[in-house]
Amino acid sequence: MRNLILGGARSGKSRLAEQLAVASGLAVTYIATSEPLDGEMNERVRLHRERRPADWGLIEEPLALAAVLRAEAAKGRCLLVDCLTLWLTNLLMLDDPQRLAAERDALLDCLETLPGTLILVSNETGLGVVPMGELTRRYVDAAGLLHQAAAERCQRVVLTVAGLPLMLKGPAL
């Protein structure tokens, strides 16, 4: 089962993803894409770590997500990626459009063929106003297109608002 969980900041999407991973009954590997570069982000990472079960594996990968998914996915295993928009930001900050396109395409190409359970978490940023800055507009556009393509390849898509899951596609939770 491939799951995509979308939501705004502090919407409960990560907590829902973690609950789904536990409920799967499978061995879980958490794939963190963030690069905590400031105190606020370090605090977010700390809270996520404290919330996760001690027996979960952890892989920190800010760029080569598809390669990690291919290497780690297995029948009887659950991979939880948190989050796609941080991964996308990392790639955008490289200012290398070829690398961004290659990594995005590699991710989308592997999604439908990965064995096991996959839970992707991502920030839904397209519900607000059009940003004024060029980089921010590129980010919002790239995130929206990534979400559309990932949702097409996932069996379940959930939008999380105020801690409540809203089913957009697939079986109910």
Side-chain angles (χ1 to χ4, degrees), residues 40-51:
E40 188 272 337
M41 194 59 166
N42 282 321
E43 178 63 13
R44 283 179 182 252
V45 168
R46 184 187 67 75
L47 291 172
H48 278 251
R49 283 184 180 144
E50 286 179 0
R51 211 169 53 214

Side-chain angles (χ1 to χ4, degrees), residues 46-63:
R46 184 187 67 75
L47 291 172
H48 278 251
R49 283 184 180 144
E50 286 179 0
R51 211 169 53 214
R52 288 194 302 265
D55 63 333
W56 284 13
L58 172 65
I59 298 173
E60 296 176 337
E61 178 50 58
L63 300 171

